[in-house]
Amino acid sequence: MKTDAPTPSFAEALRRVLGMQDKLHRWSKRDATARFADLFNLVADPAFLLIAWERVSTNTGARSAGIDGLTARAITGADQVEDFLAGLRAQLKFGTFVPSPVKQRLIPKSPGKYRRLGIPTVADRVVQASLVLVLEPIFEADFHPSSYGFRPRRRTMDAVAEIQMFASRSYEWVLEGDIAACFDEINHAALLGRVRRRIGDKRVLALIKAFLKAGVLSEDQAIRENNSGTPQGGILSPLLANIALEVLDEHFARLWQTQSATRVDRSRRRRHGQPTYRLVRYADDFVVLVSGSRNHAEAVQDQVAAVLAPIGLRLSPEKTAVVHIDEGFDFLGFRIQRHQKPGTNRRYVYTFPAKKSLANVKRKVKAITTQGTNNSLSALLDQINPVLRGWTSYFRYAVANATFQYLSHYTWWRIVGWLRRKHRKTNWKALRRHYYPTNRWWPQDGGVVLFEPGRVVIRRYHYRGDIPTPWPKLKETA
């Protein structure tokens, strides 16, 4: 592909990008030692940049501006988009493109704690998205099934379902792993070394390094160097983090292959009192499931620390712990714990919304309902409904019926309190007649009805096992 080619239509660009991704994935899958030496032209190709722009402009982050103050939504019209992409393509082609520092914002994570979010410029986001389109099919051929975070066709519930499946089959001891400041401390040299195992194009490597070293504009308007880590918020960061953390997946995959690849091997090890391990990782959150004793689970913690050290990462001693499945543990917002089923002598591993997750959504509802009373109830419901809908959609596969009923009850009373403050001189009978017109006594206003968590249907999520990649032509042509 040539970088001076005319801008294709979106349908043509998508077809070309998917076709090239399929080839890259197939070539990478066929030869685990292959290095790709001519990729930069793809990064700067009009089709890849157009699909990258589509991703950036339709993302919710399109409303956010980098240090240049420009948002993706400000670039409107086909001519403006074409001129923007043509200029970006020219900068890449002639080697004048230089990433800008990311704008840092501190996002509240929990009371007193913040997550550092880096916001790149629109141009940087488009180039990063184009890089991901090229690199992802190559590295997906290497990634192990134990990794679920920020990968195509994989989601949080896949990781939770795998934990539930293994914990129900003798893997009763769990090492809860917490990597301290993962996205801030990844060693750049070690990360680039792992990228070089697959990428031989020096221009692509230089571009990745430039993004890693671009720097950060903090909230006090001071630019600081970025000598380690990959800032959260960039489109490229999750892929780079997975490449770095693949060391953990490789370690436990080797253990599995050498010690317990077959059922006979696992039976033999158990007879001799030896452990077997399974890793489940979602980005920098992971657990190691151990079929053995507590001592075995505690010993594997030193293994994990030794594996992470070469890439500059370390375990948080305060948050890393060994627990039994009967005690339960929190993972990705869920509480995973074994309980006896009521009315029987059997015990099963269940997943519940964690107390911290419930506290977070309650905090959001409370923040919305403690704001001023100048707006109408319909405006308030427009703020609350997406929060409740999103939270219940995430947890609808857990044992969450009682939690959803409680959240309905809590939100109902928060709305009642807000209405009483808004209409201090109106009695309850009049409020009920105006805002609760049906026999259900459920608040609504201006055609907007409060979303009811208690009516969300709970479903069972089935463990999917082997999850296919988005490039189906591989099976047809392999």
Side-chain angles (χ1 to χ4, degrees):
M1 295 184 180
K2 298 180 180 180
T3 57
D4 56 353
T7 303
S9 66
F10 178 78
E12 181 186 355
L14 183 61
R15 178 182 57 81
R16 287 163 57 183
V17 168
L18 290 177
M20 182 53 67
Q21 285 184 320
D22 178 73
K23 291 179 181 178
L24 291 171
H25 185 71
R26 178 159 27 97
W27 295 336
S28 183
K29 195 80 172 177
R30 181 182 299 163
D31 185 357
T33 62
R35 296 181 76 229
F36 294 79
D38 188 17
L39 297 175
F40 189 81
N41 286 336
L42 291 178
V43 176
D45 183 83
F48 278 79
L49 288 175
L50 181 59
I51 299 304
W53 164 257
E54 181 69 15
R55 174 178 178 180
V56 170
S57 61
T58 57
N59 192 282
T60 53
R63 296 171 294 181
S64 303
I67 64 171
D68 60 357
L70 180 68
T71 66
R73 290 190 173 185
I75 304 174
T76 58
D79 292 340
Q80 277 191 328
V81 171
E82 187 171 349
D83 291 343
F84 172 77
L85 295 181
L88 196 56
R89 185 164 66 249
Q91 291 181 49
L92 289 168
K93 182 179 177 181
F94 296 111
T96 58
F97 175 80
V98 179
S100 303
V102 298
K103 183 171 69 175
Q104 187 181 85
R105 287 292 178 264
L106 299 179
I107 308 300
K109 186 169 62 172
S110 58
K113 296 184 179 180
Y114 296 88
R115 175 182 286 109
R116 292 186 177 90
L117 180 68
I119 306 174
T121 62
V122 176
D124 289 355
R125 275 178 258 175
V126 173
V127 176
Q128 286 189 29
S130 186
L131 270 171
V132 170
L133 290 173
V134 175
L135 298 179
E136 188 175 60
I138 297 172
F139 285 98
E140 272 295 319
D142 297 334
F143 289 161
H144 289 76
S146 57
S147 168
Y148 290 95
F150 305 112
R151 293 182 60 189
R153 293 188 177 174
R154 290 169 174 257
R155 57 180 73 99
T156 304
M157 278 308 303
D158 290 318
V160 174
E162 182 164 326
I163 292 173
Q164 189 174 15
M165 187 268 291
F166 280 113
S168 302
R169 290 166 171 78
S170 80
Y171 290 82
E172 298 180 351
W173 287 99
V174 180
L175 170 67
E176 295 180 80
D178 185 272
I179 301 175
C182 174
F183 282 85
D184 297 330
E185 297 187 2
I186 294 176
N187 183 279
H188 287 173
L191 171 58
L192 288 171
R194 294 189 63 82
V195 174
R196 288 190 186 96
R197 289 164 52 175
R198 280 301 205 169
I199 308 301
D201 192 319
K202 292 183 179 180
R203 291 178 296 177
V204 170
L205 292 170
L207 190 57
I208 295 173
K209 184 175 181 179
F211 278 117
L212 290 174
K213 301 292 186 182
V216 175
L217 176 67
S218 58
E219 292 190 338
D220 59 2
Q221 301 304 303
I223 296 180
R224 60 178 178 83
E225 294 183 354
N226 190 34
N227 296 318
S228 64
T230 170
Q232 285 182 276
I235 296 174
L236 185 61
S237 295
L239 176 61
L240 294 179
N242 271 335
I243 293 172
L245 292 170
E246 179 69 6
V247 295
L248 207 55
D249 306 334
E250 291 172 351
H251 173 74
F252 284 97
R254 282 194 299 269
L255 284 181
W256 183 259
Q257 289 297 324
T258 58
Q259 297 178 355
S260 44
T262 68
R263 184 174 296 179
V264 174
D265 293 333
R266 295 191 289 274
S267 297
R268 175 178 50 79
R269 289 183 64 83
R270 287 174 187 140
R271 285 197 307 270
H272 291 83
Q274 296 174 317
T276 55
Y277 307 101
R278 295 299 287 181
L279 170 74
V280 179
R281 182 175 66 82
Y282 191 95
D284 57 331
D285 294 314
F286 71 92
V287 296
V288 180
L289 301 157
V290 183
S291 178
S293 66
R294 182 184 184 90
N295 291 335
H296 294 139
E298 291 173 344
V300 81
Q301 182 172 339
D302 295 331
Q303 292 184 36
V304 171
V307 170
L308 293 176
I311 58 171
L313 298 179
R314 55 193 171 84
L315 292 174
S316 170
E318 298 83 12
K319 298 181 180 179
T320 301
V322 172
V323 298
H324 193 270
I325 192 62
D326 289 342
E327 301 173 56
F329 61 96
D330 291 351
F331 184 70
L332 302 178
F334 290 87
R335 181 71 179 175
I336 305 175
Q337 190 170 4
R338 186 165 64 185
H339 288 275
Q340 182 174 325
K341 185 177 181 180
T344 71
N345 293 324
R346 297 183 178 182
R347 295 186 300 166
Y348 296 95
V349 178
Y350 295 97
T351 58
F352 309 89
K355 291 182 178 180
K356 185 183 294 186
S357 301
L358 178 60
N360 286 339
V361 73
K362 286 174 59 181
R363 192 179 302 114
K364 291 178 181 179
V365 171
K366 184 176 181 180
I368 294 172
T369 54
T370 53
Q371 61 187 353
T373 56
N374 292 330
N375 293 330
S376 62
L377 176 60
S378 61
L380 187 79
L381 297 181
D382 282 336
Q383 295 181 61
I384 289 182
N385 284 350
V387 173
L388 298 178
R389 188 177 289 110
W391 195 86
T392 54
S393 177
Y394 183 79
F395 289 105
R396 71 184 183 276
Y397 297 109
V399 181
N401 186 60
T403 305
F404 288 175
Q405 295 291 345
Y406 169 78
L407 185 58
S408 292
H409 177 81
Y410 176 83
T411 307
W412 192 90
W413 279 107
R414 294 299 311 179
I415 295 294
V416 168
W418 184 86
L419 287 173
R420 297 301 293 266
R421 293 195 304 274
K422 181 177 177 64
H423 303 282
R424 295 183 183 275
K425 297 182 179 181
T426 305
N427 60 40
W428 173 243
K429 185 176 181 179
L431 287 177
R432 182 173 63 84
R433 185 168 55 249
H434 183 76
Y435 293 110
Y436 299 76
T438 65
N439 293 331
R440 292 187 54 243
W441 279 49
W442 199 249
Q444 56 183 286
D445 182 43
V448 182
V449 183
L450 174 65
F451 180 81
E452 188 172 357
R455 289 192 165 222
V456 174
V457 177
I458 305 298
R459 301 177 181 178
R460 181 179 178 184
Y461 192 88
H462 295 280
Y463 173 58
R464 295 197 291 162
D466 185 24
I467 301 173
T469 68
W471 302 285
K473 289 184 181 180
L474 174 65
K475 295 180 181 179
E476 300 172 8
T477 57

